[in-house]
Amino acid sequence: MIDSRQRLHHGGRVTPPTLPDPRVVLDTPRRVHTLDDAYAYCRALCEAREENTPIASRFMAPAMRPHVRAIYAFFRVANDLADRPAPPSERLRDLDHWHEALHRAFHGDADHPIFIALAHTVRCCDLPVVPFERLLTAFRMDQTNSSYATFSELRCYFLHAAEPMGQLLLYAFGYRQAEHLCFAAEACAGLQLTNFLQGLDADFNGHRQRLYLPLEDLHHFGVTQDDLRRRAATPQFRDLMRFQVTRARSLLDRGRPLLRLVGENLAFELLLTFNSAAAVLDRITAVDGDVFAAPPVLRRRDRALVLARTL
């Protein structure tokens, strides 16, 4: 375990800690950081994460990459604070500190590298505070809600956990039309559901003990939570997973018209994300839904194939 009190400076620059200990990020020593150092911190933090798709890939306009990384860095650390192995009361306290730092940044008082970068991004891109607050609301919900009875309830969770990231990305690129936001909401729901299918075992059987599949669907297909605890890929469970994969693909398809409404630069980044999600769903289908025996992660070769397909 990394000592959360250690200093994070090297060669005059502030550098992110070895992840995934988010407390180290939260406890980064407060001082005046240059804007370049702050954006470099966000970039290093994003590059340290293993994701299905790169964050602000080299195909994105260079001027926009720092802004996207600053937004993602805020989200990533908040998510890690909400998921770290600690009592819910400690996680909620950490989220409160992150929320306080967010509001100080919006009022021009930032001393953490992520919020120094984010405050500049907010000014340059004219971003509202509400999507950031909704993300934090979702992470607070995770501390009290371990399951969702219906898909409608899960979509309400997506309203906070998924849609704000799509909104912020569109806002950063100057898109604020209702049509854009509606398509983005569908796409974000599909991406979030894909992530939940990919991480089903870790979410439910890990320390988080959360289930992001509607309980009504488990009941309909005859799957029990004991089946999930036993990691039993029963025929009923495989049917359940086929249904969820189909639902995720449908949500992604409903969001695809967004690709025609944005400029080429953002469209490529979005298409890369769509294709990465499709590749994850393809892997789940290839193992007939048994995400317990074969976690559907994208390896380097898979990501290269996704990039080639997108190009």
Side-chain angles (χ1 to χ4, degrees):
M1 181 65 67
I2 300 172
D3 182 357
S4 64
R5 295 165 296 179
Q6 71 177 326
R7 298 190 66 79
L8 304 174
H9 306 100
H10 179 71
R13 283 178 170 261
V14 61
T15 56
T18 301
L19 298 179
D21 185 359
R23 283 292 310 179
V24 180
V25 180
L26 184 64
D27 293 342
T28 296
R30 290 349 188 214
R31 68 173 178 84
V32 177
H33 304 289
T34 69
L35 186 59
D36 286 345
D37 281 354
Y39 276 121
Y41 185 99
C42 294
R43 176 176 181 172
L45 189 148
C46 292
E47 291 177 348
R49 299 301 303 205
E50 183 71 17
E51 301 290 346
N52 291 328
T53 55
I55 307 302
S57 76
R58 65 183 184 275
F59 299 98
M60 181 178 287
M64 293 303 301
R65 293 176 204 162
H67 298 314
V68 173
R69 292 178 185 130
I71 295 169
Y72 180 81
F74 167 85
F75 158 81
R76 185 69 265 168
V77 174
N79 186 86
D80 289 349
L81 290 170
D83 285 351
R84 74 186 186 92
S89 60
E90 290 187 19
R91 296 196 292 261
L92 285 169
R93 181 196 62 201
D94 291 343
L95 289 170
D96 286 342
H97 291 162
W98 205 241
H99 195 179
E100 178 187 352
L102 172 69
H103 274 271
R104 288 196 291 109
F106 265 81
H107 287 86
D109 178 22
D111 56 8
H112 188 289
I114 288 178
F115 289 103
I116 291 172
L118 187 63
H120 182 259
T121 288
V122 164
R123 291 193 302 272
C124 290
C125 301
D126 191 24
L127 301 180
V129 71
V130 172
F132 294 99
E133 291 183 321
R134 283 168 57 194
L135 285 167
L136 292 176
T137 296
F139 299 141
R140 289 193 180 96
M141 291 170 65
D142 283 333
Q143 311 313 309
T144 55
N145 297 350
S146 60
S147 62
Y148 295 86
T150 66
F151 185 64
S152 294
E153 288 186 8
L154 192 61
R155 278 302 299 255
C156 288
Y157 174 75
F158 290 167
L159 178 68
H160 299 286
E163 293 181 24
M165 285 298 292
Q167 291 172 355
L168 288 168
L169 184 62
L170 288 175
Y171 292 162
F173 277 81
Y175 300 104
R176 298 172 184 261
Q177 299 91 326
E179 185 179 24
H180 292 66
L181 296 172
C182 287
F183 287 130
E186 297 297 308
C188 287
L191 293 170
Q192 187 73 80
L193 181 57
T194 299
N195 288 338
F196 286 157
L197 297 178
Q198 185 180 33
L200 173 63
D201 190 27
D203 285 333
F204 186 75
N205 290 314
H207 71 270
R208 293 185 286 272
Q209 296 185 334
R210 299 177 196 146
L211 179 60
Y212 293 109
L213 297 183
L215 296 179
E216 65 179 0
D217 291 350
L218 269 70
H219 178 74
H220 176 79
F221 285 96
V223 177
T224 68
Q225 294 190 43
D226 283 338
D227 292 333
L228 303 183
R229 292 187 186 95
R230 293 186 293 108
R231 297 181 169 89
T234 63
Q236 294 85 354
F237 174 77
R238 294 177 190 272
D239 288 341
L240 170 67
M241 291 299 287
R242 290 190 198 101
F243 175 77
Q244 300 300 336
V245 166
T246 300
R247 170 181 274 164
R249 291 191 194 278
S250 176
L251 289 167
L252 290 170
D253 285 343
R254 295 211 294 265
R256 279 187 179 271
L258 180 62
L259 298 172
R260 300 195 300 267
L261 300 178
V262 298
E264 181 178 344
N265 182 255
L266 180 56
F268 183 90
E269 198 79 7
L270 293 176
L271 182 58
L272 185 60
T273 302
F274 275 95
N275 288 344
S276 297
V280 171
L281 295 173
D282 288 343
R283 290 189 67 86
I284 296 173
T285 300
V287 297
D288 197 14
D290 188 0
V291 294
F292 302 121
V297 297
L298 296 186
R299 296 174 174 82
R300 180 175 299 179
R301 180 177 180 274
D302 300 315
R303 291 193 291 270
L305 289 173
V306 167
L307 177 59
R309 177 185 177 190
T310 305
L311 287 170

